[in-house]
Amino acid sequence: MRLAHTDQGSGPVVVLLHGFPLSRAMWSEQIKALSGSRRVIAPDLRGHGESPAPDGVYTMESMADDVVELLDGLGINGPVALGGLSMGGYVTLALALKYPDRVRGVMLLDTRSEGDSAEAAEGREKSARAVLEAGHPGSVVEAMVPKLFAEATIKEKPDLVASFRTLMEKTPAQGVAGALRGMAVRPDQTGRLGEIRVPSLVVVGEHDVITPPEGGRRMAEALPAGRFEIIPGAGHLSPCENPEAVNAVILKFLSGLSG
Ligand code: MLT
Protein backbone atom coordinates (compact mmCIF):
# COMPACT_ATOMS: atom_id res chain seq x y z
CA MET A 1 0.00 0.00 0.00
CA ARG A 2 1.55 3.28 -1.13
CA LEU A 3 0.38 6.04 1.19
CA ALA A 4 0.02 9.64 0.06
CA HIS A 5 1.96 11.80 2.46
CA THR A 6 3.51 15.15 3.31
CA ASP A 7 7.27 15.17 3.92
CA GLN A 8 8.36 18.60 5.09
CA GLY A 9 11.40 20.03 6.84
CA SER A 10 14.66 18.43 7.89
CA GLY A 11 16.10 17.12 11.12
CA PRO A 12 14.90 14.34 13.44
CA VAL A 13 11.85 12.60 11.98
CA VAL A 14 8.36 13.13 13.44
CA VAL A 15 5.49 11.05 12.05
CA LEU A 16 1.91 12.22 12.59
CA LEU A 17 -1.13 9.97 12.07
CA HIS A 18 -4.54 11.56 11.64
CA GLY A 19 -7.91 10.61 13.14
CA PHE A 20 -11.05 9.16 11.55
CA PRO A 21 -12.41 10.04 8.99
CA LEU A 22 -9.91 12.81 8.36
CA SER A 23 -6.63 13.14 6.48
CA ARG A 24 -3.16 14.58 6.92
CA ALA A 25 -4.74 17.99 6.35
CA MET A 26 -5.68 18.00 10.06
CA TRP A 27 -2.00 18.47 10.96
CA SER A 28 -1.47 21.67 8.97
CA GLU A 29 -0.69 23.79 12.06
CA GLN A 30 1.67 21.16 13.49
CA ILE A 31 3.47 20.68 10.15
CA LYS A 32 4.03 24.45 10.00
CA ALA A 33 5.29 24.69 13.57
CA LEU A 34 7.46 21.55 13.65
CA SER A 35 8.99 21.53 10.18
CA GLY A 36 11.28 24.46 11.07
CA SER A 37 13.40 22.09 13.14
CA ARG A 38 12.20 18.55 12.24
CA ARG A 39 11.38 16.40 9.25
CA VAL A 40 7.63 15.91 9.52
CA ILE A 41 6.03 12.97 7.74
CA ALA A 42 2.24 12.97 7.74
CA PRO A 43 0.60 10.18 5.72
CA ASP A 44 -3.01 9.75 4.69
CA LEU A 45 -3.87 6.39 6.28
CA ARG A 46 -5.43 3.83 3.95
CA GLY A 47 -8.96 4.72 2.89
CA HIS A 48 -8.46 8.39 3.73
CA GLY A 49 -7.33 11.54 1.91
CA GLU A 50 -5.39 10.73 -1.24
CA SER A 51 -4.38 7.19 -0.27
CA PRO A 52 -5.99 4.12 -1.86
CA ALA A 53 -9.23 2.85 -0.31
CA PRO A 54 -9.24 -0.93 -0.84
CA ASP A 55 -12.07 -3.25 0.17
CA GLY A 56 -11.88 -4.97 3.52
CA VAL A 57 -11.28 -4.43 7.21
CA TYR A 58 -8.53 -1.94 8.00
CA THR A 59 -7.05 -3.35 11.18
CA MET A 60 -4.94 -0.98 13.24
CA GLU A 61 -2.06 -3.39 12.66
CA SER A 62 -2.45 -3.26 8.88
CA MET A 63 -2.44 0.53 9.02
CA ALA A 64 0.71 0.39 11.18
CA ASP A 65 2.28 -1.92 8.57
CA ASP A 66 1.44 0.67 5.88
CA VAL A 67 3.23 3.37 7.86
CA VAL A 68 6.34 1.21 8.36
CA GLU A 69 6.31 0.41 4.63
CA LEU A 70 6.17 4.15 3.90
CA LEU A 71 9.11 4.82 6.22
CA ASP A 72 11.08 1.95 4.66
CA GLY A 73 10.36 3.40 1.21
CA LEU A 74 11.69 6.78 2.36
CA GLY A 75 14.84 5.10 3.68
CA ILE A 76 13.93 5.93 7.28
CA ASN A 77 14.91 2.79 9.17
CA GLY A 78 15.89 4.26 12.52
CA PRO A 79 13.50 5.05 15.35
CA VAL A 80 11.20 8.08 14.93
CA ALA A 81 8.98 10.20 17.13
CA LEU A 82 5.51 8.91 16.36
CA GLY A 83 2.24 10.59 17.20
CA GLY A 84 -1.39 9.97 16.41
CA LEU A 85 -4.78 11.43 17.16
CA SER A 86 -7.68 9.16 18.11
CA MET A 87 -7.72 6.42 15.41
CA GLY A 88 -4.18 7.59 14.59
CA GLY A 89 -3.41 6.94 18.25
CA TYR A 90 -4.76 3.37 17.97
CA VAL A 91 -2.41 2.91 15.00
CA THR A 92 0.45 4.51 16.97
CA LEU A 93 -0.06 1.98 19.78
CA ALA A 94 -0.21 -0.90 17.30
CA LEU A 95 3.02 0.28 15.64
CA ALA A 96 4.89 0.92 18.90
CA LEU A 97 3.97 -2.57 20.15
CA LYS A 98 4.71 -4.42 16.90
CA TYR A 99 7.82 -2.47 15.91
CA PRO A 100 9.37 -1.22 19.18
CA ASP A 101 12.71 -0.56 17.44
CA ARG A 102 11.07 1.97 15.11
CA VAL A 103 9.96 4.44 17.82
CA ARG A 104 11.98 6.66 20.10
CA GLY A 105 9.04 8.63 21.43
CA VAL A 106 5.27 8.21 21.35
CA MET A 107 2.59 10.92 21.32
CA LEU A 108 -1.00 9.88 21.96
CA LEU A 109 -3.49 12.67 21.33
CA ASP A 110 -7.18 12.42 22.21
CA THR A 111 -7.15 8.64 22.05
CA ARG A 112 -7.51 5.53 24.21
CA SER A 113 -5.90 2.13 24.72
CA GLU A 114 -9.15 0.20 25.31
CA GLY A 115 -10.92 -1.69 22.55
CA ASP A 116 -14.59 -1.29 21.63
CA SER A 117 -17.40 -2.65 23.80
CA ALA A 118 -19.65 -5.17 22.01
CA GLU A 119 -22.27 -2.43 21.73
CA ALA A 120 -19.83 0.08 20.22
CA ALA A 121 -18.57 -2.51 17.74
CA GLU A 122 -22.15 -3.27 16.71
CA GLY A 123 -22.80 0.44 16.22
CA ARG A 124 -19.73 0.70 13.99
CA GLU A 125 -20.94 -2.19 11.82
CA LYS A 126 -24.35 -0.52 11.43
CA SER A 127 -22.64 2.75 10.47
CA ALA A 128 -20.35 0.96 8.00
CA ARG A 129 -23.33 -0.64 6.28
CA ALA A 130 -25.25 2.64 6.13
CA VAL A 131 -22.29 4.46 4.59
CA LEU A 132 -21.66 1.74 2.00
CA GLU A 133 -25.34 1.66 1.09
CA ALA A 134 -25.49 5.45 0.72
CA GLY A 135 -22.16 5.58 -1.13
CA HIS A 136 -21.02 8.54 0.96
CA PRO A 137 -20.05 9.15 4.59
CA GLY A 138 -22.79 11.75 5.32
CA SER A 139 -24.46 9.89 8.20
CA VAL A 140 -21.18 9.31 10.02
CA VAL A 141 -20.07 12.91 9.49
CA GLU A 142 -23.36 14.28 10.85
CA ALA A 143 -23.10 12.10 13.95
CA MET A 144 -19.49 13.05 14.57
CA VAL A 145 -19.35 16.82 14.05
CA PRO A 146 -21.07 17.81 17.31
CA LYS A 147 -18.80 15.49 19.30
CA LEU A 148 -15.49 16.48 17.73
CA PHE A 149 -15.25 20.05 18.97
CA ALA A 150 -15.59 21.95 22.21
CA GLU A 151 -18.79 24.01 22.40
CA ALA A 152 -16.74 27.20 22.25
CA THR A 153 -15.06 26.06 19.02
CA ILE A 154 -18.45 25.39 17.41
CA LYS A 155 -19.64 28.88 18.43
CA GLU A 156 -16.48 30.87 17.81
CA LYS A 157 -14.79 29.08 14.90
CA PRO A 158 -17.57 28.12 12.46
CA ASP A 159 -15.15 28.24 9.51
CA LEU A 160 -12.88 25.68 11.14
CA VAL A 161 -15.83 23.40 11.86
CA ALA A 162 -17.12 23.79 8.28
CA SER A 163 -13.71 22.98 6.84
CA PHE A 164 -13.54 19.75 8.85
CA ARG A 165 -17.04 18.79 7.76
CA THR A 166 -15.92 19.19 4.13
CA LEU A 167 -12.74 17.21 4.80
CA MET A 168 -14.67 14.32 6.33
CA GLU A 169 -17.27 14.32 3.55
CA LYS A 170 -14.48 13.69 1.05
CA THR A 171 -13.51 10.38 2.67
CA PRO A 172 -14.73 7.58 0.38
CA ALA A 173 -17.47 5.29 1.73
CA GLN A 174 -15.19 2.29 1.32
CA GLY A 175 -12.50 3.97 3.42
CA VAL A 176 -14.96 4.93 6.17
CA ALA A 177 -16.37 1.39 6.31
CA GLY A 178 -12.92 -0.23 6.31
CA ALA A 179 -11.74 1.96 9.18
CA LEU A 180 -14.96 1.50 11.19
CA ARG A 181 -14.67 -2.28 10.87
CA GLY A 182 -10.98 -2.17 11.75
CA MET A 183 -11.57 -0.04 14.85
CA ALA A 184 -14.37 -2.41 15.92
CA VAL A 185 -11.96 -5.37 16.08
CA ARG A 186 -8.97 -3.59 17.57
CA PRO A 187 -7.58 -5.28 20.67
CA ASP A 188 -7.55 -3.71 24.11
CA GLN A 189 -3.94 -2.60 24.46
CA THR A 190 -4.25 -1.35 28.05
CA GLY A 191 -2.46 -4.36 29.50
CA ARG A 192 0.44 -3.84 27.09
CA LEU A 193 1.12 -0.15 27.78
CA GLY A 194 3.94 -1.22 30.11
CA GLU A 195 5.82 -2.55 27.08
CA ILE A 196 6.17 0.96 25.62
CA ARG A 197 9.35 2.05 27.38
CA VAL A 198 10.19 5.11 25.29
CA PRO A 199 9.20 8.61 26.46
CA SER A 200 5.48 9.03 25.87
CA LEU A 201 3.24 12.08 25.82
CA VAL A 202 -0.52 11.85 26.30
CA VAL A 203 -2.46 14.95 25.23
CA VAL A 204 -6.22 15.48 25.66
CA GLY A 205 -8.51 18.42 25.00
CA GLU A 206 -10.13 19.66 28.20
CA HIS A 207 -13.62 19.17 26.69
CA ASP A 208 -12.99 15.99 24.71
CA VAL A 209 -16.20 13.93 25.00
CA ILE A 210 -15.05 11.08 22.71
CA THR A 211 -11.88 10.27 24.67
CA PRO A 212 -12.23 12.28 27.91
CA PRO A 213 -9.25 13.51 29.98
CA GLU A 214 -9.63 10.91 32.80
CA GLY A 215 -8.86 8.11 30.34
CA GLY A 216 -5.82 9.96 29.03
CA ARG A 217 -4.53 10.44 32.57
CA ARG A 218 -4.89 6.72 33.29
CA MET A 219 -3.06 5.87 30.08
CA ALA A 220 -0.19 8.24 30.94
CA GLU A 221 0.07 6.63 34.39
CA ALA A 222 0.24 3.14 32.86
CA LEU A 223 3.00 4.13 30.42
CA PRO A 224 6.44 3.59 31.99
CA ALA A 225 7.67 7.00 30.79
CA GLY A 226 4.34 8.77 30.35
CA ARG A 227 3.60 12.45 30.67
CA PHE A 228 0.09 13.95 30.59
CA GLU A 229 -1.09 17.33 29.27
CA ILE A 230 -4.58 18.82 29.12
CA ILE A 231 -5.25 21.34 26.34
CA PRO A 232 -7.48 24.19 27.50
CA GLY A 233 -10.51 25.21 25.48
CA ALA A 234 -10.28 22.22 23.13
CA GLY A 235 -12.40 19.15 22.43
CA HIS A 236 -11.43 15.95 20.59
CA LEU A 237 -9.57 17.78 17.81
CA SER A 238 -7.18 19.52 20.18
CA PRO A 239 -4.35 20.07 17.63
CA CYS A 240 -6.78 21.93 15.37
CA GLU A 241 -8.80 23.76 18.04
CA ASN A 242 -5.87 25.01 20.11
CA PRO A 243 -2.79 24.51 17.92
CA GLU A 244 -0.62 26.94 19.90
CA ALA A 245 -0.96 24.93 23.11
CA VAL A 246 -0.58 21.55 21.37
CA ASN A 247 2.47 22.72 19.40
CA ALA A 248 4.08 23.99 22.60
CA VAL A 249 3.66 20.66 24.45
CA ILE A 250 4.81 18.66 21.40
CA LEU A 251 7.91 20.83 20.90
CA LYS A 252 8.78 20.57 24.57
CA PHE A 253 8.38 16.80 24.46
CA LEU A 254 10.43 16.45 21.25
CA SER A 255 13.23 18.60 22.61
CA GLY A 256 13.61 16.08 25.47
CA LEU A 257 14.10 13.12 23.11
CA SER A 258 17.60 12.07 22.25
CA GLY A 259 18.58 12.70 18.61
C1 MLT B 1 -11.31 9.43 15.70
O1 MLT B 1 -11.39 10.63 15.98
O2 MLT B 1 -10.34 8.94 15.08
C2 MLT B 1 -12.46 8.54 16.11
O3 MLT B 1 -13.31 9.25 16.95
C3 MLT B 1 -11.98 7.31 16.78
C4 MLT B 1 -13.10 6.39 17.16
O4 MLT B 1 -14.18 6.46 16.56
O5 MLT B 1 -12.90 5.56 18.06
Side-chain angles (χ1 to χ4, degrees), residues 19-20 85-88 90 112 124 144 148 183 210 236:
F20 164 87
L85 178 127
S86 203
M87 179 183 77
Y90 309 156
R112 60 163 75 82
R124 295 221 204 246
M144 280 192 83
L148 285 177
M183 289 192 284
I210 298 181
H236 189 60

Side-chain angles (χ1 to χ4, degrees), residues 190-209:
T190 310
R192 297 192 65 192
L193 290 173
E195 294 173 38
I196 301 176
R197 307 216 146 261
V198 292
S200 305
L201 171 68
V202 178
V203 175
V204 187
E206 180 185 10
H207 304 298
D208 186 341
V209 292

Side-chain angles (χ1 to χ4, degrees), residues 102-114:
R102 304 300 290 263
V103 293
R104 64 191 179 87
V106 162
M107 297 179 284
L108 298 164
L109 293 89
D110 301 282
T111 190
R112 60 163 75 82
S113 55
E114 295 85 5

